[in-house]
Amino acid sequence: MVKQTVRLSGITPQSLVNGPGLRKVYFAQGCKHHCKDCFNPETWSFQGGRIWDVDQLVKEIKEETYLEGVTFSGGDPVEQAEGFATLGQKLKQQGFNIWCYTGYTWEELMKKSAADKNLMNLLKTIDVIVDGKYVNTLHSHSHKYRGSSNQRLINVAASLKAKKAVEFKLV
């Protein structure tokens, strides 16, 4: 069996701003969007960061029982759909809530996933996607968990079922 890996630019062990509750954040290395005024331009290169074994990441997080969830950010985790799908599946088995930030819109993800089973496998592990590119002119502090007002919080399970984007409602 081939070991599954992901290339990460970094890991934030505890975050309160990348989704609800105390979360661990995995920052994917590699992004094609290159948004103007991006928060993480160092994640753009597909050659940077470090390669991590998915099983090792899962082993480490098992002991972190205080976490309420996990967030995939970046870079763009969608660019490493196979590795993040495997990581997502293993984290879901541990009971973690998963959020994912991507520069792709939900509609673009649906088109891409029609030809990429790894992307669909990744989507099925995610509870909420924050979709769309960061747009500096739409920067907003009033939209929780988003950098710009064009980005949406998408309820992934409901969206897959409805075959259209269903927004996630914060409580």
Side-chain angles (χ1 to χ4, degrees):
M1 184 164 99
V2 177
K3 284 208 172 266
Q4 191 62 60
T5 61
V6 290
R7 184 180 290 269
L8 301 177
S9 67
I11 300 170
T12 298
Q14 298 177 6
S15 172
L16 293 169
V17 298
N18 293 284
L22 188 61
R23 310 179 75 77
K24 183 170 229 175
V25 184
Y26 297 103
F27 290 92
Q29 182 69 44
C31 184
K32 296 178 181 177
H33 304 294
H34 298 186
C35 301
K36 184 178 181 340
D37 299 316
C38 171
F39 294 132
N40 301 315
E42 66 280 1
T43 66
W44 292 357
S45 168
F46 285 86
Q47 305 309 310
R50 175 178 159 200
I51 296 173
W52 291 79
D53 177 75
V54 166
D55 289 333
Q56 183 62 36
L57 292 173
V58 172
K59 180 181 177 192
E60 290 173 9
I61 201 170
K62 280 182 182 178
E63 298 165 16
E64 299 172 29
T65 56
Y66 52 86
L67 292 173
E68 296 173 59
V70 172
T71 299
F72 300 156
S73 192
D76 198 324
V78 168
E79 304 298 352
Q80 297 182 60
E82 184 176 7
F84 274 96
T86 301
L87 179 58
Q89 289 162 357
K90 292 180 181 222
L91 293 173
K92 287 307 267 189
Q93 290 171 356
Q94 299 300 315
F96 286 102
N97 168 275
I98 301 175
W99 280 42
C100 180
Y101 286 79
T102 179
Y104 294 101
T105 64
W106 179 258
E107 293 75 17
E108 291 169 329
L109 290 171
M110 289 300 90
K111 286 180 186 169
K112 286 176 69 70
S113 68
D116 184 350
K117 72 175 174 51
N118 291 316
L119 177 53
M120 182 53 72
N121 290 339
L122 170 59
L123 292 173
K124 289 177 180 177
T125 71
I126 297 169
D127 295 288
V128 176
I129 283 210
V130 182
D131 81 333
K133 294 177 185 176
Y134 170 74
V135 179
N136 187 44
T137 57
L138 299 176
H139 181 77
S140 172
H141 291 290
S142 63
H143 291 83
K144 198 169 187 180
Y145 306 124
R146 293 168 276 184
S148 55
S149 61
N150 63 299
Q151 295 173 314
R152 302 175 292 179
L153 303 179
I154 304 293
N155 179 323
V156 176
S159 298
L160 289 172
K161 186 175 180 182
K163 298 190 184 319
K164 66 177 185 174
V166 175
E167 292 206 38
F168 176 78
K169 302 293 182 199
L170 292 169
V171 279

